[in-house]
Amino acid sequence: MKKTLLTIFVLLFWAKITVAQTQITLNTDLAKTKINKHIYGHFAEHLGHCIYGGMYVGESNTKIPNTNGLRNDVIAALKDLKVPNLRWPGGCFADTYQWKDGIGPKPNRPKMVNVWWGGVTEDNSFGTHDFLDLCEKIGAEPYLAGNVGSGSVKDLSDWVTYVNNPSGSPMSELRKQNGREKPWDVKLWGVGNEAWGCGGNMTAEHYANVYRQYATFMTDWSNSSKLFRIASGANSGDYHWTETLMKNIPHNMVSGIALHHYSVIDWNNKGGATDFNEFQYFRIMEEAFKMEDLVTRHSTIMDKYDPEKKIALIVDEWGGWYNVEAGTNPGFLYQQNTMRDAMIAGLTLNIFNNHADRVRGANVAQIVNVLQSVILTNEEKMLLTPTYHVMKMYNVHQDATLVPLNITTPNYEFQGKKLPALSASASKDATGALNISLTNIDYSKAHEIVINLRGEDFTKVSGTTLTSPKINDYNTFEVSNKIAVKEFKGAKLEKGQLKLSIPAFSVVVLNLKK
Ligand code: AHR
């Protein structure tokens, strides 16, 4: 009996000291790298109901409240989100887009067929002026993706001139005739999209030459409008692509190199957005977590050619991709958004923050009604997705200074495979406040976290959280606030240590003040 009691005591003691616990050390005195706000960028393509119906409803024949055809509800929500930049008009659509068809009186605009997305007729009623007006309304910097695949060097050169040249050129005069006196001074320009695929099926070597040609005729019209030219980048782990661009493009001609990576279970069997099991959940987390390896390896290649890190890595398409919702057009890529997507967002943004020295821009795909959206609309109704909430919680990191951290965390294990359960990133803002974002991707376990604050003392802690009883919970047009940000009171700050417990599949953002 005595022996049994002793064994039980030893087992209990052992269980207690082996309780799964994440240890984080924040080196607040070593903060030096800026987290570029553009990491929190978005992407809008002429695809399904992203533009038409989602953001733009036109000025006539609609009961939906709008300003110049732009939905008031969507504009307000995006303004609130602090969208730093918006990429447009694609995507694959960009390399078919004739920008001149989207300017001038709307009834006279030529129509086209959107060959990539559902074969629908594009009436060009939403064009350059509408997009740049949208950006002004939501306070985002425009990021224009130029047509390299099927457009000419002159077309792209003219587009730059139309939007940026103050006066004296046929393009600036045309802009004025169309009602815009002042240039928009657009800095962010993509030179094609997915040149290895829908943008022209080019080899890296061929694209590097094409890039040089197009970029040459994209004029910097003034010092203030010096262009930030972004080369179409690699598909996930295509390291040869990045190496070739870094080697073959003169570095004074390029400011950023792109990278695209989607979290997909299997391109031939993507699974449902809301109806999924743990196997499918784990697969998506694996794909999302690959971003760590991808940015590390692409950055290492870039370091070889650009050790001073002058050229940015811009992940201008990322997010979860599932089967479309039943009964919707397969070409419209409309999918719901659950707590699983909140996990992709929390994990991915932590990765980007921690690689802020090289990753200086990113765009979640896509902003409204397409793939991992932050907003879904249905006629006059609108809802904010879990991804919206995570991006809003994390926007405290925009342009803040990254605080380097060390983390040791237990694994989230499934069928013999492992992923780190916790991910974290931290930054100090202009007021000296410290913000820490934590994401627990574990499907079923809460995790205890101990955060050691090295370097500076803080006295107050507050927080917010995004959590829900079920991993496949989502907001609907009927119950649009099932998943909403709540206050988090569970963090205890004592003697330079923060302690908290984070529920399974949850996000917590903490704010510490001195
Ligand atoms: O975001 C949907 C599509 O995915 C984009 O048009 C393309 O660039 C990518 O393949």
Side-chain angles (χ1 to χ4, degrees):
M1 181 65 179
K2 235 176 166 183
K3 209 170 155 203
T4 322
L5 276 176
L6 186 71
T7 315
I8 291 172
F9 176 77
V10 169
L11 283 176
L12 280 176
F13 179 73
W14 184 244
K16 190 157 172 54
I17 61 166
T18 55
V19 153
Q21 197 187 61
T22 295
Q23 288 275 349
I24 299 174
T25 301
L26 291 182
N27 299 303
T28 56
D29 53 343
L30 300 181
K32 63 169 198 294
T33 308
K34 183 168 114 173
I35 298 176
N36 197 308
K37 66 176 180 184
H38 289 301
I39 283 177
Y40 291 81
H42 291 257
F43 170 35
E45 181 162 9
H46 286 237
L47 195 178
H49 292 298
C50 182
I51 303 289
Y52 299 109
M55 292 196 284
Y56 182 76
V57 285
E59 282 141 87
S60 51
N61 298 329
T62 178
K63 282 193 242 120
I64 302 173
N66 69 85
T67 311
N68 302 337
L70 297 166
R71 289 180 73 126
N72 293 346
D73 53 354
V74 172
I75 299 297
L78 293 178
K79 215 170 153 183
D80 219 22
L81 184 58
K82 294 200 178 126
V83 173
N85 76 77
L86 184 57
R87 178 173 181 249
W88 175 83
C92 295
F93 181 79
D95 282 294
T96 63
Y97 185 57
Q98 303 299 324
W99 72 268
K100 284 178 187 152
D101 292 348
I103 55 171
K106 296 197 178 192
N108 303 345
R109 294 185 186 176
K111 295 184 171 51
M112 70 181 282
V113 175
N114 190 334
V115 288
W116 288 113
W117 308 119
V120 294
T121 298
E122 162 66 59
D123 68 3
N124 279 305
S125 55
F126 185 91
T128 300
H129 291 249
D130 307 274
F131 174 69
L132 295 171
D133 180 28
L134 163 68
C135 289
E136 281 179 347
K137 286 204 165 58
I138 63 173
E141 259 191 64
Y143 169 8
L144 293 174
N147 178 348
V148 166
S150 72
S152 68
V153 175
K154 180 171 184 322
D155 288 336
L156 184 48
S157 168
D158 279 353
W159 203 14
V160 174
T161 310
Y162 186 85
V163 297
N164 282 358
N165 175 233
S167 63
S169 67
M171 286 299 117
S172 57
E173 298 320 300
L174 184 59
R175 181 191 70 234
K176 289 179 195 178
Q177 259 176 44
N178 288 332
R180 173 80 186 197
E181 184 62 29
K182 271 192 4 214
W184 283 279
D185 204 9
V186 174
K187 295 192 171 51
L188 305 171
W189 288 86
V191 184
N193 168 72
E194 298 195 347
W196 41 263
C198 63
N201 283 305
M202 301 179 208
T203 62
E205 290 74 10
H206 181 68
Y207 172 70
N209 280 339
V210 169
Y211 175 93
R212 293 161 66 131
Q213 186 186 4
Y214 277 74
T216 303
F217 298 96
M218 296 167 72
T219 307
D220 296 313
W221 283 106
S222 71
N223 278 342
S224 75
S225 60
K226 198 155 170 34
L227 306 186
F228 190 98
R229 297 174 184 79
I230 300 166
S232 166
N235 181 17
S236 295
D238 182 355
Y239 300 109
H240 172 73
W241 190 275
T242 300
E243 177 113 33
T244 307
L245 266 44
M246 289 302 291
K247 198 161 51 184
N248 295 357
I249 299 175
H251 290 187
N252 62 357
M253 292 185 79
V254 61
S255 306
I257 302 240
L259 167 68
H260 288 182
H261 174 66
Y262 284 98
S263 298
V264 188
I265 294 169
D266 172 348
W267 284 104
N268 298 314
N269 184 12
K270 300 190 205 77
T274 56
D275 176 20
F276 55 87
N277 55 29
E278 188 170 1
F279 170 78
Q280 290 162 314
Y281 173 74
F282 191 88
R283 275 289 301 122
I284 287 292
M285 289 304 109
E286 270 185 318
E287 287 300 316
F289 190 69
K290 265 189 196 159
M291 190 63 87
E292 173 66 38
D293 196 43
L294 289 169
V295 297
T296 303
R297 293 179 64 183
H298 283 287
S299 299
T300 307
I301 293 165
M302 293 174 81
D303 287 350
K304 183 167 137 199
Y305 297 92
D306 170 33
E308 288 173 37
K309 299 186 191 288
K310 288 191 177 143
I311 299 174
L313 181 60
I314 308 286
V315 190
D316 58 13
E317 287 186 32
W318 66 270
W321 192 324
Y322 318 110
N323 288 333
V324 297
E325 294 305 317
T328 65
N329 187 327
F332 284 9
L333 310 186
Y334 175 79
Q335 63 190 40
Q336 249 296 356
N337 196 291
T338 66
M339 284 302 293
R340 174 171 65 173
D341 298 284
M343 296 300 98
I344 302 177
L347 171 60
T348 306
L349 294 169
N350 280 336
I351 294 171
F352 292 159
N353 287 343
N354 288 324
H355 285 272
D357 58 344
R358 182 66 84 176
V359 179
R360 299 200 286 270
N363 302 77
V364 63
Q366 298 190 4
I367 194 160
V368 180
N369 292 332
V370 172
L371 301 177
Q372 191 175 339
S373 305
V374 289
I375 291 177
L376 299 177
T377 66
N378 182 7
E379 300 293 338
E380 74 289 352
K381 293 187 185 141
M382 179 196 87
L383 66 82
L384 307 178
T385 67
T387 302
Y388 178 99
H389 293 307
V390 175
M391 293 201 76
K392 190 163 175 209
M393 288 165 79
Y394 272 55
N395 73 17
V396 289
H397 294 304
Q398 291 189 15
D399 281 346
T401 311
L402 178 71
V403 173
L405 57 80
N406 304 318
I407 178 167
T408 48
T409 176
N411 289 316
Y412 157 39
E413 295 192 23
F414 179 72
Q415 294 184 341
K417 290 183 169 182
K418 297 172 184 170
L419 289 171
L422 256 293
S423 79
S425 63
S427 67
K428 273 201 296 191
D429 69 17
T431 70
L434 175 67
N435 290 298
I436 310 169
S437 46
L438 304 157
T439 296
N440 175 13
I441 63 164
D442 202 310
Y443 192 78
S444 50
K445 278 195 218 130
H447 283 257
E448 304 291 317
I449 307 179
V450 176
I451 304 176
N452 300 299
L453 301 161
R454 249 210 71 256
E456 278 176 62
D457 295 328
F458 296 88
T459 59
K460 288 186 218 110
V461 60
S462 60
T464 53
T465 186
L466 194 76
T467 188
S468 199
K470 290 208 270 107
I471 184 71
N472 57 353
D473 280 342
Y474 55 95
N475 289 334
T476 63
F477 294 107
E478 290 70 43
V479 187
S480 62
N481 61 353
K482 183 181 178 101
I483 300 172
V485 181
K486 306 226 162 61
E487 190 181 0
F488 182 79
K489 290 188 179 160
K492 300 276 163 296
L493 177 63
E494 224 174 56
K495 295 187 190 139
Q497 254 195 358
L498 258 178
K499 288 188 182 162
L500 66 142
S501 172
I502 181 169
F505 54 87
S506 301
V507 174
V508 168
V509 175
L510 300 173
N511 175 271
L512 279 84
K513 291 199 167 68
K514 293 199 170 152

